[in-house]
Amino acid sequence: MKTDIFSKCFEFYHQLETVKKTEKYFYFRTISSIQGPEVNINGRRFIMLGSNNYLGLTEDQRVKEAAIKAIKKYGTGCAGSRLLNGTIDLHEALEAQIAEFFGKEATVVFATGMQTNLGCIQALVTQDCVAILDKFDHASIIDGCRLASGCFKRYPHNDMQSLERLLQCEPEKPKLIIVDGVFSMEGDLTNLPAIVDLSRKYGARIMLDDAHGIGVMGKNGRGTAEHFGLEQETDIIMGTFSKSLATIGGFIAAQKEVIEYVKHVGRALLFSASLAPPLAAAASMAFKIIETEPERRKKLWDNTQFWLEGLKRLGFDTGYSTTPIVPVIIGDVDKTFEMCRYLEENGVFVSPVVPPAVPPGRALLRTSVMATHSQKQLEKALDAFNLAGRKAGII
């Protein structure tokens, strides 16, 4: 019955079961091992090229030991929100560490990256304000804008002329430009220098979501703003712990007045239990390793260059990627799933990304490398891509 609120669930389930029978379903795959350069799925070993574990720190013994030590001292959770009973000294020490790392006055830590964007954007983009987004921004940014009482507008990906036109609209309203540093599907960078120039010209503030840039970009791993030499010109740096930092959680770093405001107004922080102690301890240790072991980042970039050049040499379209996120753009949805199946048969794990997650006609396989991949593993994966691409008629 259409009057049953569950009717859409039943219809979707039927469609999903049909898709699963066609060997075009590559989601919710169950991994039974550490998410390293190789993983175990249903008793088979796969070269993992679909992870955000860029520096390989999820399997670092120091990170694991820091989490275990925190559990022994604090237990497994804080049993409350940061506002009430859920703030512990471990949170405050981590926040001070992050603020110093980025050269900002203050930081606030959230339980997840998603909550970080929801809470920060909802708090800042009030009824009289406008948020301006790149169309390729992460879904959490869009959802944060939907929760906010202000309005939001979007410009075509990295189109600075369109951004300027939006900034010229409604000049009397406060504006926040919110943009990814490294775009999570295409692997390219935002044009931060141009955004900084435009923000100054039109009196806007900048919030940089650098989930995929921290630990990866910049001489010291401080991300996209450091890469461009624009750390002080970037008003808010947002990051997550679920990529290079080997755990889960998120944060914003900014001037102290902004942090105190978000801490007391951001609903995703106020009405959620705080970051669990072992996660905070793991993130803290990961930051220390990023600061003291630049050789990890060098190895990551060596692997990135090897992988990107290898795919191009085989004839694949890698778009505008300049980072460890390397898309293999197929275009056709069916061909994308076909490629994914061939790669799975040859022991390579990749992630198929199709519309609406990407624009129509731009279906792709999202690949990403880690510092801990060996050249032998990447060579084996390239051989698999060569076979799969020829079988699918892509190359």
Side-chain angles (χ1 to χ4, degrees):
M1 294 176 58
K2 291 295 183 182
T3 54
D4 183 356
I5 198 169
F6 287 172
S7 61
K8 55 183 171 286
C9 306
F10 302 136
E11 182 179 351
F12 179 82
Y13 179 82
H14 175 73
Q15 293 172 348
L16 184 62
E17 288 301 296
T18 301
V19 170
K20 286 181 178 180
K21 293 175 183 177
T22 64
E23 297 184 328
K24 293 181 179 179
Y25 187 81
F26 297 94
Y27 306 103
F28 293 96
R29 288 173 280 184
T30 304
I31 297 169
S32 55
S33 63
I34 286 178
Q35 194 157 136
E38 291 190 8
V39 296
N40 190 306
I41 301 176
N42 295 325
R44 289 183 59 203
R45 297 295 292 176
F46 288 81
I47 297 172
M48 170 52 80
L49 287 171
S51 175
N52 300 318
N53 183 24
Y54 302 118
L55 298 178
L57 292 179
T58 59
E59 53 189 332
D60 188 279
Q61 190 62 29
R62 294 163 295 179
V63 175
K64 292 189 285 186
E65 287 175 356
I68 292 167
K69 184 178 179 181
I71 288 176
K72 289 179 177 178
K73 180 176 180 179
Y74 298 95
T76 56
C78 297
S81 71
R82 290 291 305 275
L83 179 72
L84 300 177
N85 65 296
T87 294
I88 59 175
D89 54 0
L90 197 59
H91 293 138
E92 294 183 338
L94 175 60
E95 288 169 343
Q97 179 186 7
I98 296 170
E100 183 178 1
F101 181 78
F102 288 102
K104 296 294 186 184
E105 288 184 349
T107 300
V108 60
V109 167
F110 288 73
T112 70
M114 179 80 172
Q115 287 179 327
T116 305
N117 275 338
L118 297 185
C120 180
I121 296 169
Q122 168 266 317
L124 291 174
V125 185
T126 49
Q127 192 168 6
D128 60 333
C129 301
V130 180
I132 303 177
L133 321 180
D134 188 296
K135 281 193 174 180
F136 281 16
D137 276 354
H138 190 265
S140 60
I141 295 174
I142 298 168
D143 288 351
C145 289
R146 288 171 174 164
L147 285 175
S149 56
C151 68
F152 70 98
K153 300 179 179 182
R154 302 168 74 188
Y155 60 90
H157 180 50
N158 265 342
D159 184 337
M160 296 298 102
Q161 289 184 333
S162 294
L163 170 58
E164 182 164 21
R165 283 194 292 270
L166 291 179
L167 287 166
Q168 290 169 340
C169 297
E170 301 178 290
E172 74 286 355
K173 288 191 175 183
K175 297 176 179 64
L176 180 65
I177 303 169
I178 312 174
V179 66
D180 286 5
V182 177
F183 290 94
S184 60
M185 294 300 159
E186 298 281 344
D188 58 339
L189 299 178
T190 191
N191 189 349
L192 190 60
I195 290 172
V196 166
D197 288 344
L198 289 171
S199 72
R200 288 171 170 169
K201 183 176 180 180
Y202 294 99
R205 296 287 190 172
I206 299 171
M207 176 177 173
L208 179 71
D209 179 336
D210 216 17
H212 295 272
I214 294 166
V216 174
M217 304 300 301
K219 180 181 177 181
N220 301 289
R222 294 198 296 266
T224 307
E226 185 190 26
H227 170 76
F228 286 113
L230 295 169
E231 292 174 275
Q232 295 309 309
E233 291 79 4
T234 304
D235 300 291
I236 301 172
I237 294 176
M238 175 271 177
T240 63
F241 303 147
S242 56
K243 278 73 178 177
S244 291
L245 293 158
T247 179
I248 191 169
F251 66 90
I252 57 167
Q255 62 193 81
K256 61 182 183 297
E257 295 88 350
V258 173
I259 297 301
E260 286 301 316
Y261 176 83
V262 172
K263 281 174 68 173
H264 290 84
V265 179
R267 294 171 64 85
L269 183 78
L270 297 176
F271 300 104
S272 178
S274 61
L275 185 70
L279 305 181
S284 177
M285 179 56 69
F287 268 114
K288 291 175 184 176
I289 294 171
I290 288 172
E291 284 191 284
T292 58
E293 297 183 5
E295 62 271 17
R296 283 181 176 267
R297 199 156 41 257
K298 182 182 184 306
K299 181 63 162 57
L300 172 64
W301 282 101
D302 288 344
N303 283 347
T304 298
Q305 184 178 8
F306 180 84
W307 180 245
L308 185 59
E309 290 177 355
L311 288 173
K312 288 180 176 179
R313 187 170 60 250
L314 291 174
F316 287 105
D317 179 0
T318 57
Y320 300 105
S321 173
T322 57
T323 70
I325 300 169
V326 182
V328 176
I329 299 166
I330 309 298
D332 180 78
V333 171
D334 288 336
K335 289 286 187 183
T336 301
F337 287 129
E338 187 179 357
M339 275 283 293
C340 196
R341 178 164 57 84
Y342 289 145
L343 288 166
E344 188 174 82
E345 289 172 356
N346 285 278
V348 176
F349 185 110
V350 296
S351 300
V353 184
V354 299
V358 289
R362 203 167 176 82
L364 57 87
L365 297 175
R366 183 190 186 274
T367 75
S368 53
V369 297
M370 307 179 199
T372 45
H373 276 123
S374 68
Q375 186 168 317
K376 184 177 179 181
Q377 289 168 330
L378 296 179
E379 287 173 348
K380 183 178 177 181
L382 286 172
D383 287 342
F385 262 89
N386 187 30
L387 289 171
R390 294 184 185 284
K391 288 180 73 173
I394 304 302
I395 57 174

